[in-house]
Amino acid sequence: MSRLDLKNGSVEMVHGSGGRAMGQLIEELFARALRNQWLDQGNDQAQFELPSGRVVMATDSHVISPLFFPGGDIGSLAVHGTINDVAMAGARPCYLAAGFILEEGFPLADLARIVESMAAAAREAGVPVVTGDTKVVERGKGDGVFITTTGVGVVPAGLHLSGDQARPGDRILLSGSIGDHGVTILSLREGLGFEADIGSDSQALHGLVAAMVEAVPEIRCLRDPTRGGLGNTLNELARQSGVGMQLVERAIPLREPVRAACEFLGLDPLYVANEGKLVAICPAEQAERLLAVMREHPQGREAAIIGTVVADERRFVQMETLFGGSRMVDWLNGEQLPRIC
């Protein structure tokens, strides 16, 4: 059998048949790019050792259009997104699994680019893809490629971060500017030309999280504001903890190109997706220490204290505006920007 034509070939139904062609696709593309000691065993599962501590597991399905964008693609995004979900428990991510659903006719060159990007992201993060699966659907019954990733990690003994831990008086911290990812995707999708100034913030945050929890183990909770952005994320945490939140708009980092793009498009940056930022809530007396640690890390240089947790049985999130007024930051009603993560 001749080798895969990774330049001009495309995915065929036979690549999902379980036979020789599927084996060739797995060996010449997936196994070659993602190679590691667990994947090399060739089993339908991976066997591995975990360090002591509570096990954390997260799974996420990734669908995005376009598949490639400034700052990343669906392959690196699938790695970063699941690693970050595991890390928000304060866990050290250890292993990933990946499932691909491919549409008949999808170019093998694009698939190879995605898989190689995924492999590079996993290597950089130090979190290997140790098992996976591939399925092929008929032409017109998919959207090129969908990726589901599952991550496993371990939380050190004595650490317990959860969205129901926020208490009145706590401070709310944000690791950096909001809206970069969502505006990048919309710009590409609609051909608006913002991409010269804006790129996705997609990145794995477990290194930043490790530094934060080592310095301030009293952190109450962490959350990455992906779909629904910062606004929805804070409403989720307020609901879980049974508290209110008071934000300060001028304290929320927002890059000028993103601000301008949101104004042009009529979007509220509080509800635009991010893929490389986190929200932290900690006791007030630890806030300055935590802020300093975050700013010392490359992924937290723009970190800021953006608000305070308050007692409010209504669980409202409110914000002091740039003009000194007050506005509600309610749940997003509908969807500003579909299918971006």
Side-chain angles (χ1 to χ4, degrees):
M1 177 179 284
S2 59
R3 295 183 63 83
L4 286 177
D5 184 355
L6 294 178
K7 182 177 181 181
N8 300 306
S10 61
V11 174
E12 301 174 13
M13 291 302 299
V14 70
H15 288 131
S17 68
R20 186 186 302 274
M22 182 173 179
Q24 183 182 27
L25 178 71
I26 291 171
E27 178 57 35
E28 295 184 16
L29 201 160
F30 290 99
R32 179 188 57 80
L34 297 167
R35 177 149 282 137
N36 56 66
Q37 61 178 305
W38 300 275
L39 205 59
D40 286 350
Q41 294 173 11
N43 296 320
D44 286 339
Q45 73 291 122
Q47 301 181 43
F48 45 76
E49 300 290 335
L50 285 171
S52 61
R54 295 194 318 278
V55 175
V56 173
M57 184 170 69
T59 192
D60 202 356
S61 295
H62 302 270
V63 294
I64 189 165
S65 178
L67 297 172
F68 304 97
F69 47 85
D73 53 61
I74 192 172
S76 59
L77 182 66
V79 169
H80 295 157
T82 297
I83 284 176
N84 290 345
D85 285 345
V86 171
M88 292 307 110
R92 169 194 162 194
C94 297
Y95 305 102
L96 291 168
F100 284 75
I101 297 179
L102 310 175
E103 184 181 9
E104 179 186 16
F106 188 71
L108 287 175
D110 286 347
L111 180 59
R113 181 180 170 189
I114 289 167
V115 175
E116 287 164 3
S117 175
M118 172 181 272
R123 285 193 298 270
E124 183 178 0
V127 185
V129 178
V130 298
T131 189
D133 185 53
T134 304
K135 295 292 187 294
V136 179
V137 298
E138 296 173 353
R139 192 185 304 267
K141 294 187 177 180
D143 194 13
V145 56
F146 300 147
I147 304 176
T148 295
T149 42
T150 297
V152 177
V154 174
V155 180
L159 185 66
H160 180 70
L161 308 182
S162 176
D164 62 358
Q165 298 297 308
R167 299 292 181 264
D170 289 349
R171 298 296 185 262
I172 306 164
L173 292 85
L174 177 66
S175 65
S177 59
I178 60 173
D180 293 32
H181 177 75
V183 169
T184 297
I185 299 306
L186 182 60
S187 176
L188 284 171
R189 188 181 298 167
E190 303 299 333
L192 298 175
F194 298 133
E195 64 267 21
D197 301 314
I198 303 170
S200 173
D201 59 346
S202 179
Q203 57 185 336
L205 296 170
H206 57 305
L208 173 61
V209 170
M212 292 169 63
V213 298
E214 180 179 8
V216 184
E218 298 87 354
I219 293 172
R220 310 276 200 203
C221 54
L222 298 173
R223 191 68 56 88
D224 53 336
T226 52
R227 278 180 300 175
L230 179 64
N232 271 10
T233 294
L234 293 178
N235 274 280
E236 290 174 359
L237 294 173
R239 181 188 64 183
Q240 282 183 262
S241 291
V243 297
M245 296 185 181
Q246 183 65 50
L247 309 179
V248 179
E249 185 174 11
R250 67 176 180 275
I252 298 173
L254 179 65
R255 297 177 59 218
E256 186 55 38
V258 175
R259 184 192 307 275
C262 287
E263 289 180 357
F264 177 77
L265 296 166
L267 299 176
D268 186 337
L270 290 175
Y271 300 100
V272 176
N274 312 276
E275 285 295 342
K277 300 298 187 301
L278 63 80
V279 172
I281 297 178
C282 74
E285 60 271 20
Q286 299 290 342
E288 291 296 336
R289 168 63 176 153
L290 182 58
L291 180 64
V293 170
M294 293 171 72
R295 287 180 171 175
E296 288 172 1
H297 194 280
Q299 294 174 331
R301 288 172 179 159
E302 297 177 309
I305 299 173
I306 64 168
T308 302
V309 178
V310 297
D312 184 351
E313 62 182 15
R314 302 165 300 176
R315 308 179 186 187
F316 284 169
V317 178
Q318 303 182 67
M319 184 169 70
E320 177 188 324
T321 69
L322 295 173
F323 305 103
S326 181
R327 60 163 281 200
M328 288 287 297
V329 179
D330 205 352
W331 293 91
L332 181 63
N333 186 16
E335 192 161 16
Q336 288 196 119
L337 182 58
R339 294 205 50 206
I340 56 177
C341 55

